[in-house]
């Protein structure tokens, strides 16, 4: 089966036209997609209008999530025996490598970091902390990947350094989006590590440094509920690979690494509330539109150029 890129409806794989809207399903334009390479090619009124008029349906959004799941599935299918034979940490690292590069660092206060499709983890950590850090940083990558694939779908374009830079620019220059991304990563991490080992330190740091808890309460609430909603999608993707057996293995690694009992103070930051699919997709749509609105000055172009250089360097 195939899904129409216009309305998202399912049709048989040998169809030429969508059964629902008549849109062409099999055409050269889908075999030779445009590839936007510059700031001006992306951040212009034409693309803003296309984006404004083509909000994804929830079905199309779920197709994108399935595509992202399949990226790891295709990678791991060729490594099935190796995956099963690896240690618990080795399995999580292999899953992470199906999406992003992984390297180790030996300095700095941060346990790990993510930028330009590369995850760095401190090699001085014990196995349990490396596992939680990999899941956390992978969540940042998947957060960006979802927004990238939305634009690829709407604009019918290939992924490029410029597109990745544009998404990083959009999500990384707005404090609310940064807070949302961080909360999302903590929420995903919290799903796969034992109860009581959650630590929202990096989230709390952004919250206290960038926000006034009273004046910015609405913006903070928006960041938390949408971040938690996207985290729910990422969790569903990763649960296809981090199953109950692997979660039991992770719990055992924590038991071996920590003699002190867990602390439940920060578990209070976990939220149950998520947005319904239509509202979630609508809010994500508005986030992407805000990027073009921000990108209309020389300073933005310079920031974008720096980010793009980072992607070019890492992807070469």
């Amino acid at each position: 089966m195939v899904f129409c890129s216009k309305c998202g409806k399912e049709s048989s794989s040998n169809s030429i036209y969508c059964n629902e809207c008549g849109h062409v399903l099999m055409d050269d334009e889908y075999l030779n997609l445009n590839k936007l390479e510059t700031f001006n090619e992306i951040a212009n009124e034409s693309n803003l209008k296309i984006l404004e008029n083509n909000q994804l349906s929830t079905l199309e959004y779920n197709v994108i999530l399935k595509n992202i799941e399949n990226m790891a599935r295709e990678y791991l299918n060729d490594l099935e025996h190796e995956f099963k034979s690896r240690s618990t940490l080795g399995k999580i690292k292999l899953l992470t490598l199906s999406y992003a590069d992984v390297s180790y660092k030996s300095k700095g206060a941060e346990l790990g970091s993510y930028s330009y499709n590369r995850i760095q983890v401190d090699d001085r950590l014990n196995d349990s902390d490396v596992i939680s850090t990999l899941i956390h940083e992978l969540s940042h990558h998947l957060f960006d990947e979802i927004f990238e694939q939305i634009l690829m779908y709407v604009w019918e374009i290939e992924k490029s350094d410029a597109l990745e830079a544009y998404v990083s620019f959009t999500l990384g220059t707005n404090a609310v989006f940064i807070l949302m991304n961080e909360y999302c990563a903590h929420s995903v991490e919290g799903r796969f590590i034992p109860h009581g080992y959650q630590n929202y330190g990096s989230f709390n740091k952004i919250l206290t440094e960038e926000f006034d808890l009273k004046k910015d309460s609405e913006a903070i609430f928006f960041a938390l509920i949408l971040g938690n909603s996207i985290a729910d999608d990422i969790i569903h993707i990763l649960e296809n690979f981090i199953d109950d057996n692997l979660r039991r293995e992770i719990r055992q690694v924590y038991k071996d690494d920590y003699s002190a009992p867990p602390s439940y103070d920060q578990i209070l930051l976990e939220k149950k509330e998520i947005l319904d699919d239509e509202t979630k997709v609508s809010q994500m749509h508005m986030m992407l539109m805000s990027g073009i609105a921000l990108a209309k000055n020389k300073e933005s172009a310079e920031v974008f150029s720096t980010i793009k250089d980072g992607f070019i360097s890492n992807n070469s």
Side-chain angles (χ1 to χ4, degrees):
M1 306 302 288
V2 294
F3 291 87
C4 176
S5 63
K6 184 175 182 181
C7 71
K9 297 298 183 182
E10 188 173 310
S11 299
S12 62
S13 58
N14 60 355
S15 297
I16 297 176
Y17 299 99
C18 175
N19 296 331
E20 181 72 19
C21 70
H23 190 64
V24 176
L25 294 175
M26 304 171 76
D27 195 297
D28 287 346
E29 65 177 300
Y30 301 110
L31 302 177
N32 299 285
L33 299 178
N34 291 325
K35 192 171 185 179
L36 305 183
E37 297 284 10
T38 69
F39 189 68
N40 290 335
E41 286 178 346
I42 292 176
N44 56 49
E45 291 298 328
S46 174
N47 280 344
L48 178 59
K49 184 170 288 187
I50 292 170
L51 187 58
E52 185 176 8
N53 295 331
N54 290 278
Q55 179 178 309
L56 292 186
S57 67
T58 56
L59 175 59
E60 289 172 311
Y61 179 72
N62 286 322
V63 170
I64 284 172
L65 296 180
K66 189 66 176 179
N67 288 342
I68 294 172
E69 174 194 325
N70 286 337
M71 291 167 66
R73 193 173 300 284
E74 291 173 6
Y75 179 89
L76 294 174
N77 278 347
D78 295 332
L79 299 168
E80 184 177 1
H81 177 73
E82 181 179 352
F83 185 85
K84 289 180 179 179
S85 64
R86 282 199 173 199
S87 66
T88 307
L89 172 56
K91 291 173 184 174
I92 298 300
K93 184 178 179 183
L94 200 58
L95 172 59
T96 305
L97 284 168
S98 69
Y99 289 109
D101 293 332
V102 176
S103 60
Y104 290 92
K105 67 184 185 72
S106 58
K107 295 181 179 179
E110 291 182 333
L111 303 185
S113 62
Y114 169 73
S115 61
Y116 310 123
N117 298 327
R118 175 174 292 167
I119 291 168
Q120 282 198 317
V121 184
D122 198 308
D123 64 5
R124 297 168 293 181
L125 300 175
N126 57 33
D127 281 6
S128 57
D129 288 333
V130 174
I131 288 170
S132 64
T133 302
L134 285 173
I135 294 172
H136 182 99
E137 302 305 335
L138 174 58
S139 302
H140 283 308
H141 174 80
L142 293 177
F143 186 91
D144 287 7
E145 183 69 33
I146 290 171
F147 283 93
E148 287 170 16
Q149 293 222 13
I150 290 174
L151 289 179
M152 290 165 64
Y153 194 96
V154 171
W155 287 339
E156 295 181 349
I157 58 173
E158 291 182 11
K159 182 175 287 193
S160 65
D161 296 321
L163 180 68
E164 292 188 297
Y166 169 73
V167 170
S168 291
F169 167 81
T170 300
L171 301 179
T173 55
N174 182 311
V176 176
F177 299 168
I178 294 170
L179 186 70
M180 181 190 304
N181 195 337
E182 197 61 37
Y183 187 76
C184 173
H186 280 294
S187 298
V188 176
E189 174 192 346
R191 172 67 183 97
F192 297 107
I193 65 174
H195 200 60
Y197 290 95
Q198 288 73 16
N199 186 330
Y200 283 77
S202 53
F203 168 80
N204 286 325
K205 185 174 187 293
I206 296 169
L207 187 64
T208 55
E209 291 181 356
E210 301 292 336
F211 294 89
D212 183 305
L213 296 183
K214 290 184 178 180
K215 291 181 181 179
D216 299 326
S217 59
E218 289 187 10
I220 293 168
F221 176 77
F222 168 73
L224 266 60
I225 193 167
L226 185 50
N228 201 39
S229 302
I230 299 173
D232 205 47
D233 295 329
I234 295 173
I235 287 168
H236 288 152
I237 290 171
L238 295 181
E239 281 179 335
N240 288 280
F241 310 102
I242 308 177
D243 59 14
D244 289 343
N245 290 332
L246 184 48
R247 288 181 61 226
R248 279 193 289 271
E249 290 182 29
I250 292 172
R251 287 197 293 271
Q252 184 61 50
V253 173
Y254 270 82
K255 185 177 179 180
D256 293 341
D257 283 348
Y258 285 99
S259 56
S263 170
Y264 300 99
D265 293 342
Q266 297 208 19
I267 204 72
L268 297 174
L269 283 169
E270 283 194 1
K271 301 289 182 186
K272 292 183 179 179
E273 298 86 354
I274 60 172
L275 299 172
D276 64 84
D277 284 349
E278 288 188 2
T279 304
K280 173 181 63 184
V281 172
S282 175
Q283 293 298 331
M284 295 171 73
H285 179 81
M286 294 302 296
M287 288 171 64
L288 286 170
M289 287 182 60
S290 74
I292 293 180
L294 283 171
K296 293 183 176 179
N297 58 64
K298 183 178 179 181
E299 182 180 348
S300 294
E302 292 173 352
V303 172
F304 171 88
S305 179
T306 300
I307 298 172
K308 182 184 174 184
D309 288 344
F311 276 105
I312 292 172
S313 176
N314 188 64
N315 292 338
S316 59

